[in-house]
Amino acid sequence: MPRIGVFVCHCGSNIAATVDCAGVAEATRGFPGVVHAADFKYLCAETGQNLIRDAIAEHRLNRVVVASCSPRMHEPTFRKAVAQAGLNPYLMEMANIREHCSWVHADRQVATAKATEIIRMVVAKVARNEPLTAKQVGLTKRLLVIGGGIAGIQAALDVANAGYQVTLVERTPTIGGKMAMLDKTFPTLDCSACILTPRMVELSQHPNIELRTYAEVLSVKGFVGNFEVEILQKARKVNHLTCTGCGTCWQKCPEKNVPSEFDVGMGRRTASYIPFPQAVPNKPVSDTANCRSVRHLAAKERGEKLMECRVCEKLCPTKSIDWEQKDEIIVDRFGAIIVANGYDTFDHSVYGEYGYGKYPDVITGLQLERLMNASGPTKGEVVRPSDGKHPHSVVFLACVGSRDDKVGRPYCSKICCMYTAKHALMLKEHDPNIQTYVFYLDIRAAGRGYEEFVRRVQEEYGSTYIRGRVSWIYPQDGKLIIKGEDTLLGRPVEVEADLVVLATGITAASGAVDLMQTIGISYDTYGFINEMHPKLRPVETNTDGVYLAGCASGPKDIPDSVSQASAAAVKVCGLFSQDYLTTDPMTSVVDQMKCVGCFLCEEVCPFRAVERETLRGGKVVARINESVCKGCGLCVAACRGEALNLKGFTDQQLLAQVTALLRA
Amino acid sequence: MSVLKFASTDQPGRNGLLALVKAKTGQDVLACYQCGKCSAGCPLSSAMDLAPHQVLRAVQLGQRDLVFQSSAIWLCVTCQTCYTRCPQEVDLPKVMDALRSQAIQEKIRPAERTVKVFHDVFLGLVERFGRLYEVGLIGGYNLLARQPLASADLGLPMLTRGKLELIPRRVKDREQIRAIFKRAAELELEEITGQSVAAAPPASVPS
Ligand SMILES: Cc1cc2nc3c(=O)[nH]c(=O)nc-3n(C[C@H](O)[C@H](O)[C@H](O)COP(=O)(O)OP(=O)(O)OC[C@H]3O[C@@H](n4cnc5c(N)ncnc54)[C@H](O)[C@@H]3O)c2cc1C
Ligand code: SF4
Ligand code: SF4
Ligand code: SF4
Ligand code: SF4
């Protein structure tokens, strides 16, 4: 027999002002099963909780209804309170008479009557509540980091230093990401490689970190604490266990004309290559699309003839070249995932007015970084790609592929104002005779020392900033004519330039959407990851156990990317500090006798909680993985055979609620 | 509207106009970040062809014609409102003054000719009487601007109401005023020739 206690809260005057709380308590005394009712000013206060605990003991209550605010506020508080009095916490229900009643009504009489009815329904429900027990599952204390840019590197190091095992998966042959491509970094102008490469080396030598470059994540199954991940290790055609990174193969490779991804097409590389001298790992991969030997093998299979090469194989002192090496799939288990797949820069070839990406002397900011870099394709000499001459007049265009609805990028890329100012300053350092122009819309330089930096570039370095978007660039007599408007003066401007640099904006990394779908996390229209909460949970995704860091969730500079990485690492460490995870028991359950195996539930479940089970008779039915189920109830609504029920919200409970209201 | 053109060898960031203003006033016009606060508060800006901040913008871009032919530099009354309020502490009135003196030196007249006429008549009267003589200003300006009867409808009622005096008033010590003008002319000459013109200033006149 249920012995129900009803507790009506005044919430100061939040409820009491419009609801006669004592009257409501009095009215509930006549409801079926209610043996005790009381009202109190603040039930959530320690004294209020004591009142409930004492009443449970005194009146031998086995069900409790707290009529107060939304369960979103205090459900954990009152569950804990009744548990302390020895009651199963799921035998407590809350009746929301604040948000659903006192706050939205003015008439005291009506509000009092409505509050009474709300409680009547909840009393009918709680009488049918069953004790539920939260389950505990173990967890694998190993982290998977996807993406080896500065964000991924920082997160991996932080978690590894806390003593946990980390696997970092990077799809290119080296870690470092975009930061490795940069020359100097704003606003302090420290050399990018000098501050990055020590971290890369530390990572590669860390006993707790397994590094998998030239690899990608194929599939993710499971749930927080217990992810099962398939990783594709692409064939390098080089055995990294025996290779010493001596450099013979990439020095001797005759295929020297492959555009270098690392130099963003400004330089060339060989087919067997390391992307840059400090690459980690410092061992080559043979790019199968361009390697002459691999192409020879493929041609042979097709019955065609092609010259064999095998130079590297013949010259490698450790016999590490392995033509038979195949792509490999590795299956591993992880407790948490940090997604740090970074960004790409906007492809400016959509702009016909800027030459469709076809004018050789119109380059991007990232390409300029490579030209300015001492280990870049020109050894740090800034020259025009068309004729190798030194430029006198260099024009920068800000906001290319940013703040432009027409190309589907209404957002500001946040870092291009700063990197453009950096470029203007550094060009002047390279050659004091260079005149730079920056066409901009607004200057966005929010950050410590950032605004001061941009002022310095204009005042000390004499960069001419012109407010206005460039409308047209066209070649004339070996130079480029840039047409724009100085909106400050209200006059058209025409600049004759030797070199034009486009500050192309930040877009989601290529393949980002596929990756998000593989992992099962939500992303926005641009392919950036959505945070669990943009302010209060900025490094969590909407899937438990999956975190984010860096430009994967939108434009960020290095300090922001690193801060996020460390924040995500703390979240992971917090998770790994537990020995088991408690799961919410309010999940759905299958009545396998009723299940007809249509698997509509499987289709609708957004969390992939529905599994298939074959019964002894051969019948295939649904089973809910309680660790994954979030209790959203979609499957219950979808199930045609009423085989599914949601614990804590069973059909019987809900029906009792409705009946109580209708019968009253 | 004339196009501002920059050849690939130009150096607007180091242009001659910037250097000139710097030499004459010590002001770094590149410090101006074009917020427009000066123009917003300037009592004359509505009458100017270039607002005060645009004068600076033209200096930043080395646009000599735009600057020297503007009426703005002549309309500025050196009230200091802009300078008092400028967040970047650009001494705009000082810059305006330097631009005026340069225009005189180079004999460049503003596109709006009468603006300079007013300036000349005004200063001429101050030099003679030590203060403003309104009737002289109206007469002289109208004559030189070749518009003898302009604003006559305003002049008569002002006369009858005693707002204008026909006889000029003079300040007591006109010697001092002359000395100021003399010294200013000397300083100007010094600037042009680069040699100091030795003239011990009268004790009470700031040098
Ligand atoms: C021209 C330019 C100049 C800049 N200058 C500065 C500066 O001076 N100062 C500053 O603070 N910031 C600067 N930035 C910004 C800086 O580059 C970024 O803040 C920083 O690189 C972000 O790091 P990240 O790790 O988030 O992304 P990334 O550096 O993009 O790293 C992401 C990594 O993930 C890998 N990856 C992507 N997808 C997958 C996948 N599916 N599987 C596995 N791996 C994957 C990528 O290969 C890459 O290695 C500049 C940016 C540009 C474009
Ligand atoms: S940071 Fe600056 S250049 Fe980049 S999109 Fe924003 S306003 Fe434009
Ligand atoms: S209740 Fe929701 S999360 Fe749970 S199995 Fe059903 S659909 Fe999936
Ligand atoms: S107030 Fe100062 S900074 Fe602003 S526009 Fe005028 S001179 Fe420039
Ligand atoms: S000093 Fe000149 S520019 Fe400045 S507010 Fe006064 S009149 Fe205008």
Side-chain angles (χ1 to χ4, degrees):
Chain A
M1 270 305 288
R3 293 179 61 80
I4 304 170
V6 176
F7 300 87
V8 184
C9 184
H10 295 203
C11 192
S13 63
N14 273 305
I15 296 172
T18 22
V19 171
D20 170 10
C21 296
V24 169
E26 182 53 39
T28 62
R29 291 207 175 95
F31 294 167
V34 175
V35 294
H36 174 73
D39 62 300
F40 195 69
K41 192 156 186 184
Y42 288 111
L43 282 174
C44 59
E46 198 50 45
T47 42
Q49 295 181 44
N50 279 338
L51 183 93
I52 298 173
R53 284 191 283 260
D54 292 348
I56 291 172
E58 190 183 332
H59 301 281
R60 290 179 290 116
L61 303 177
N62 56 17
R63 300 279 192 286
V64 167
V65 172
V66 178
S68 58
C69 52
S70 159
R72 279 177 160 261
M73 301 289 145
H74 275 304
E75 196 172 59
T77 314
F78 295 120
R79 276 201 181 143
K80 210 156 136 204
V82 301
Q84 281 161 348
L87 215 59
N88 181 290
Y90 296 91
L91 296 177
M92 187 284 305
E93 286 282 344
M94 288 181 78
N96 183 352
I97 58 167
R98 193 178 73 176
E99 285 84 344
H100 286 180
C101 185
S102 70
W103 275 357
V104 290
H105 297 295
D107 187 319
R108 189 172 169 83
Q109 216 179 340
V110 176
T112 304
K114 180 172 168 182
T116 314
E117 294 310 300
I118 291 174
I119 298 170
R120 184 197 299 279
M121 292 167 74
V122 176
V123 166
K125 182 188 180 198
V126 82
R128 287 157 185 82
N129 273 24
E130 297 286 335
L132 300 175
T133 334
K135 283 229 173 87
Q136 291 179 336
V137 290
L139 71 158
T140 311
K141 297 187 183 185
R142 297 181 60 225
L143 168 69
L144 170 67
V145 176
I146 304 174
I150 183 60
I153 291 174
Q154 182 69 36
L157 282 175
D158 284 351
V159 174
N161 285 335
Y164 301 108
Q165 297 292 317
V166 178
T167 296
L168 188 145
V169 170
E170 162 61 49
R171 67 177 167 186
T172 70
T174 178
I175 54 170
K178 299 288 186 306
M179 188 175 167
M181 299 156 82
L182 307 180
D183 186 32
K184 304 258 162 41
T185 54
F186 61 74
T188 41
L189 298 181
D190 14 25
C191 144
S192 195
C194 311
I195 56 178
L196 174 67
T197 48
R199 300 264 165 115
M200 291 165 60
V201 172
E202 186 188 344
L203 187 143
S204 71
Q205 294 171 349
H206 204 292
N208 289 345
I209 300 180
E210 176 199 35
L211 179 57
R212 283 206 173 276
T213 53
Y214 220 42
E216 274 173 58
V217 168
L218 284 186
S219 76
V220 176
K221 284 198 220 116
F223 49 92
V224 54
N226 297 279
F227 292 109
E228 192 182 293
V229 181
E230 275 183 319
I231 300 168
L232 170 75
Q233 175 65 64
K234 290 176 273 187
R236 299 183 176 104
K237 306 290 177 191
V238 178
N239 182 350
H240 274 207
L241 293 176
T242 52
C243 167
T244 56
C246 70
T248 309
C249 58
W250 70 79
Q251 280 151 19
K252 301 293 181 203
C253 175
E255 183 60 66
K256 294 190 188 308
N257 224 10
V258 187
S260 155
E261 298 83 358
F262 189 77
D263 288 331
V264 213
M266 293 279 100
R268 308 269 143 184
R269 62 162 170 84
T270 44
S272 168
Y273 73 109
I274 56 166
F276 61 106
Q278 302 105 312
V280 168
N282 212 258
K283 294 176 184 179
V285 303
S286 191
D287 152 21
T288 49
N290 289 293
C291 168
R292 294 182 186 184
S293 296
V294 177
R295 275 162 51 207
H296 162 81
L297 291 175
K300 208 161 98 182
E301 251 167 54
R302 276 181 272 125
E304 293 163 27
K305 273 202 172 144
L306 199 77
M307 267 260 286
E308 204 175 354
C309 168
R310 297 197 175 226
V311 166
C312 51
E313 183 187 347
K314 283 170 212 143
L315 296 179
C316 175
T318 58
K319 302 275 164 266
S320 299
I321 308 294
D322 176 7
W323 305 117
E324 300 306 315
Q325 202 180 65
K326 295 260 169 347
D327 288 357
E328 198 187 336
I329 292 175
I330 297 124
V331 182
D332 213 340
R333 295 189 78 81
F334 301 97
I337 300 173
I338 293 181
V339 188
N341 64 322
Y343 69 99
D344 274 324
T345 49
F346 185 81
D347 173 12
H348 63 274
S349 67
V350 300
Y351 285 105
E353 62 269 42
Y354 301 158
Y356 292 114
K358 296 222 172 83
Y359 301 150
D361 295 333
V362 176
I363 63 172
T364 68
L366 211 48
Q367 289 177 318
L368 181 64
E369 294 277 353
R370 295 314 302 146
L371 287 185
M372 288 192 296
N373 193 276
S375 66
T378 55
K379 307 257 176 306
E381 271 201 66
V382 179
V383 293
R384 297 174 11 126
S386 64
D387 55 11
K389 286 193 187 141
H390 289 262
H392 289 293
S393 150
V394 181
V395 172
F396 291 89
L397 271 58
C399 302
V400 175
S402 301
R403 307 177 68 190
D404 187 344
D405 246 334
K406 212 180 71 198
V407 299
R409 307 282 158 184
Y411 57 84
C412 164
S413 291
K414 196 171 172 181
I415 55 161
C416 9
C417 273
M418 283 309 293
Y419 79 58
T420 296
K422 173 184 77 174
H423 291 162
L425 184 149
M426 280 162 50
L427 279 186
K428 201 79 182 170
E429 293 273 346
H430 274 244
D431 176 358
N433 291 319
I434 288 184
Q435 171 67 45
T436 57
Y437 301 79
V438 178
F439 282 88
Y440 69 98
L441 271 77
D442 303 283
I443 300 167
R444 304 205 163 158
R448 193 174 188 188
Y450 286 19
E451 172 69 14
E452 297 89 320
F453 183 86
V454 177
R455 292 304 320 154
R456 202 145 62 86
V457 170
Q458 293 173 63
E459 293 177 33
E460 279 174 39
Y461 288 80
S463 181
T464 297
Y465 270 60
I466 301 174
R467 188 179 175 282
R469 251 199 214 278
V470 166
S471 71
W472 193 23
I473 300 175
Y474 61 90
Q476 193 178 72
D477 304 331
K479 311 227 179 242
L480 293 154
I481 307 296
I482 288 83
K483 283 186 168 273
E485 166 98 0
D486 184 305
T487 59
L488 297 169
L489 219 42
R491 275 178 172 70
V493 179
E494 210 178 281
V495 185
E496 189 187 39
D498 301 308
L499 186 67
V500 174
V501 184
L502 308 179
T504 47
I506 300 285
T507 66
S510 64
V513 167
D514 289 341
L515 181 66
M516 308 310 159
Q517 286 175 351
T518 302
I519 306 169
I521 54 179
S522 98
Y523 50 89
D524 68 12
T525 28
Y526 312 110
F528 294 122
I529 306 175
N530 284 333
E531 312 91 338
M532 183 70 178
H533 189 284
K535 294 172 193 90
L536 301 180
R537 301 175 77 176
V539 296
E540 290 158 77
T541 69
N542 66 336
T543 297
D544 284 352
V546 183
Y547 307 90
L548 62 89
C551 292
S553 63
K556 262 165 225 81
D557 58 14
I558 295 165
D560 281 2
S561 302
V562 171
S563 316
Q564 265 203 336
S566 291
V570 167
K571 293 281 169 191
V572 171
C573 291
L575 180 72
F576 287 178
S577 70
Q578 293 159 275
D579 288 324
Y580 49 83
L581 301 174
T582 310
T583 62
D584 192 334
M586 295 171 115
T587 60
S588 63
V589 275
V590 182
D591 181 343
Q592 296 190 330
M593 297 303 287
K594 288 187 185 163
C595 176
V596 294
C598 69
F599 292 106
L600 260 184
C601 49
E602 192 180 33
E603 242 169 76
V604 297
C605 176
F607 304 98
R608 302 183 201 163
V610 180
E611 294 171 353
R612 291 178 183 228
E613 186 181 349
T614 313
L615 298 184
R616 230 177 296 160
K619 184 178 157 194
V620 184
V621 294
R623 187 187 56 203
I624 305 299
N625 184 335
E626 292 182 357
S627 312
V628 186
C629 173
K630 291 264 180 282
C632 72
L634 278 181
C635 57
V636 182
C639 183
R640 289 180 280 201
E642 290 178 12
L644 280 156
N645 224 338
L646 196 58
K647 286 189 270 180
F649 293 92
T650 59
D651 291 352
Q652 297 73 19
Q653 285 174 297
L654 301 184
L655 206 62
Q657 269 188 289
V658 178
T659 315
L661 185 66
L662 295 180
R663 291 241 173 97
Chain B
M1 192 101 12
S2 60
V3 180
L4 312 180
K5 289 197 178 186
F6 299 97
S8 79
T9 45
D10 283 350
Q11 292 258 3
R14 299 266 153 87
N15 75 64
L17 209 47
L18 279 168
L20 180 111
V21 172
K22 175 95 186 174
K24 273 181 178 268
T25 66
Q27 293 297 301
D28 184 2
V29 173
L30 287 178
C32 165
Y33 54 31
Q34 294 286 297
C35 66
K37 197 178 177 193
C38 50
S39 304
C42 171
L44 271 304
S45 78
S46 61
M48 292 173 173
D49 51 355
L50 287 183
H53 75 278
Q54 291 181 312
V55 171
L56 295 185
R57 181 67 188 146
V59 172
Q60 288 178 342
L61 295 177
Q63 300 299 308
R64 293 179 60 91
D65 292 353
L66 216 53
V67 171
F68 290 128
Q69 288 175 13
S70 74
S71 68
I73 59 174
W74 299 104
L75 287 177
C76 165
V77 295
T78 322
C79 68
Q80 308 278 352
T81 309
C82 52
Y83 179 34
T84 320
R85 295 175 181 172
C86 172
Q88 290 287 88
E89 302 189 314
V90 177
D91 192 339
L92 228 169
K94 209 171 188 179
V95 173
M96 292 285 206
D97 201 41
L99 294 172
R100 276 193 296 269
S101 92
Q102 186 67 19
I104 292 171
Q105 271 176 35
E106 297 192 22
K107 303 200 170 53
I108 310 173
R109 286 207 243 149
E112 199 184 334
R113 205 181 65 88
T114 52
V115 162
K116 170 79 166 34
V117 169
F118 184 93
H119 178 86
D120 291 343
V121 175
F122 184 97
L123 272 188
L125 289 168
V126 174
E127 186 172 3
R128 261 177 73 195
F129 304 119
R131 50 160 293 169
L132 185 59
Y133 168 42
E134 285 92 351
V135 174
L137 180 67
I138 298 167
Y141 173 76
N142 278 0
L143 218 63
L144 288 172
R146 301 198 196 98
Q147 43 174 29
L149 293 178
S151 312
D153 52 332
L154 270 178
L156 212 61
M158 282 179 83
L159 257 177
T160 54
R161 280 178 209 168
K163 298 285 178 200
L164 292 178
E165 293 177 58
L166 285 173
I167 315 292
R169 291 191 183 203
R170 289 155 212 268
V171 294
K172 275 189 217 124
D173 193 353
R174 275 185 297 142
E175 269 316 300
Q176 292 273 16
I177 299 292
R178 294 224 177 90
I180 293 174
F181 273 83
K182 187 162 165 259
R183 182 69 189 132
E186 280 166 12
L187 286 173
E188 206 132 83
L189 196 68
E190 263 178 33
E191 201 186 279
I192 297 167
T193 59
Q195 285 164 16
S196 73
V197 180
S204 56
V205 176
S207 57

